[in-house]
Amino acid sequence: MTPLAITHFTLTTALGAGNAPNAAALRQGRSGLQPCRFLDVRLPGWVGEVGGLDEPALPAALSDFDCRNNRLAWLGLQQDGFADAVARARTRWGAHRVAVLMATSTSGILQTELAYRHRGADGALPADFHYAQTHNTGSLALFAAQTLGLSGPAWVVSTACSSSAKVFAAAQRLIEAGWADAAVVGGVDSLCLTTLYGFNSLELFSPEICRPWDARRSGLSLGEAAAYALLQREASRGSEPGSEAAAGWLLGTGESSDGYHMSSPHPEGIGAIAAMRQALDSAGCDASVVDYINLHGTATPNNDAMEDRAVRAVFGDAVPCSSTKGATGHTLGAAGAVEAAIGLLALQQGFIPGGLNCGERDPALGANYVTESRAAPLRRVLSNSFGFGGSNASLLLGAA
């Protein structure tokens, strides 16, 4: 594929709103996870909660969209000059030539969960509950498109934890096919009762803070986040109005499906291997060019064991790698975009984020897992995202 310019990106997680606080926390090895006190949920476990989302914060014209997920989406769009950059792209290409490709796993389902608590005597949901603008999966793309004044192709990908890595691949295909000249891609997923109780029922929500690659790892910690990137057909072209320099490059993408199990990855990592190799092949690169791998690294026993095998099958055991979920929590449908943004920060600032909470490394895992953040000149970063149902996506990112 032809490298695609990423002119702007931003992320908002439990570490803070915008690139600067997230980069600082990752470099310093700080976690945003806290014991779970979300609403009235008192499960034993840790979550990465974004502050300031409990009260309505949307403009009046967007008030029908008001829910936790869209408040988080709004907060994320206001960071790092991202909305202004999209406005310049809209001027450059035309509103109808800028796509909006979003990702989420549960969208604003919390709004329905809360509305259900306030049903009337006849069982009806409250009159001010707006399903289409809040809970509906497609509402996220509609909200983002209206907020940003865009009218290009718009849709939402919901393939669990691979969702917001896959929108990068979808945008690349859309631009290559000539259906758009630019694309806003991203993922937004907020905490909700379904996710917390669901992962707890699956015995995947660890009572302890998550410990990727640790011998005693017992599951994941959940988080919420919004992350976006602006992809454009061309980066800077001298003095052309609206042209922008690349902040990084999308070099390659890989997608695959295990077809193995509803909630467990293929134990030998066959699908993950295929996604990583496809990302390298699409970029015309071999494994030796990758300087760092941001792992999916959920801290569940099966995922980490599978991913370790898959990484070693493709890269051997020398390439530095780590999971950043000990800092942000697992942000599910937003994880791919969050970790792509972390990969771009690592490329820009020249550092490898350490994987937190790994006190006793699992001796059965042989990849070169980095536990302390360190400076490192990076040119290419691979980011992995693997979801339920065996949906896999890998992104190869390059420095500007």
Side-chain angles (χ1 to χ4, degrees):
M1 61 174 268
T2 302
L4 192 57
I6 302 171
T7 57
H8 300 82
F9 67 95
T10 184
L11 76 164
T12 291
T13 73
L15 297 173
N19 292 341
N22 278 277
L26 292 167
R27 296 182 75 117
Q28 295 162 11
R30 286 191 282 111
S31 175
L33 300 180
Q34 299 287 336
C36 181
R37 294 291 181 272
F38 181 71
L39 296 179
D40 53 2
V41 178
R42 292 297 178 266
L43 295 172
W46 293 61
V47 298
E49 190 171 342
V50 175
L53 300 180
D54 292 331
E55 299 298 328
L58 305 183
L62 297 168
S63 60
D64 284 355
F65 289 94
D66 188 57
C67 66
R68 186 178 185 85
N69 208 59
N70 288 334
R71 292 174 201 164
L72 177 54
W74 173 264
L75 178 65
L77 287 170
Q78 309 312 309
Q79 307 307 314
D80 298 304
F82 189 81
D84 291 339
V86 174
R88 293 194 295 275
R90 187 181 64 213
T91 299
R92 182 186 189 191
W93 302 109
H96 67 295
R97 296 292 296 171
V98 182
V100 178
L101 308 183
M102 294 288 112
T104 187
S105 66
T106 53
S107 190
I109 194 173
L110 177 66
Q111 199 71 3
T112 301
E113 294 167 342
L114 297 176
Y116 203 73
R117 293 179 174 184
H118 299 285
R119 285 172 297 160
D122 59 354
L125 294 168
D128 61 353
F129 169 62
H130 302 288
Y131 172 85
Q133 292 89 351
T134 57
H135 180 157
N136 187 299
T137 302
S139 66
L140 177 60
L142 182 61
F143 173 74
Q146 289 196 19
T147 298
L148 298 169
L150 301 175
S151 56
W155 65 72
V156 170
V157 172
S158 187
T159 55
C161 310
S162 66
S163 303
S164 57
K166 291 173 74 67
V167 292
F168 283 76
Q172 185 273 328
R173 289 190 290 268
L174 203 61
I175 292 172
E176 185 175 78
W179 287 93
D181 294 310
V184 177
V185 301
V188 183
D189 242 342
S190 48
L191 292 170
C192 62
L193 308 182
T194 298
T195 297
L196 288 164
Y197 287 115
F199 277 92
N200 187 63
S201 295
L202 288 168
E203 300 181 347
L204 297 176
F205 186 46
S206 173
E208 301 176 338
I209 195 167
C210 70
R211 302 174 175 180
W213 256 248
D214 190 287
R216 298 163 297 168
R217 67 189 182 278
S218 57
L220 52 80
S221 301
L222 290 163
E224 58 187 354
Y228 306 99
L230 175 59
L231 281 57
Q232 303 201 53
R233 180 182 297 282
E234 296 173 350
S236 177
R237 286 197 305 183
S239 59
E240 179 192 357
S243 66
E244 308 275 0
W249 294 91
L250 179 63
L251 302 176
T253 65
E255 299 172 272
S256 68
S257 176
D258 286 5
Y260 174 75
H261 190 271
M262 285 293 289
S263 59
S264 294
H266 191 288
E268 299 303 320
I270 289 174
I273 290 170
M276 289 187 281
R277 285 182 171 157
Q278 188 183 121
L280 292 170
D281 290 346
S282 69
C285 296
D286 62 41
S288 66
V289 305
V290 174
D291 301 309
Y292 163 66
I293 302 168
N294 188 289
L295 301 163
H296 188 56
T298 59
T300 59
N302 286 346
N303 174 85
D304 290 4
M306 174 282 292
E307 191 171 12
D308 187 86
R309 291 189 194 100
V311 165
R312 285 188 288 131
V314 178
F315 295 95
D317 57 8
V319 179
C321 57
S322 66
S323 166
T324 45
K325 289 185 171 67
T328 64
H330 191 348
T331 59
L332 305 177
V338 165
E339 289 156 22
I342 290 173
L344 290 165
L345 286 173
L347 287 163
Q348 278 188 337
Q349 300 187 17
F351 75 100
I352 292 175
L356 304 184
N357 313 320
C358 182
E360 181 183 342
R361 183 181 165 131
D362 187 341
L365 306 184
N368 182 14
Y369 192 76
V370 176
T371 56
E372 303 234 347
S373 297
R374 68 186 192 216
L378 305 176
R379 297 299 302 168
R380 295 175 188 83
V381 167
L382 186 90
S383 180
N384 283 338
S385 299
F386 306 136
F388 275 178
S391 176
N392 309 295
S394 296
L395 304 176
L396 184 62
L397 305 165

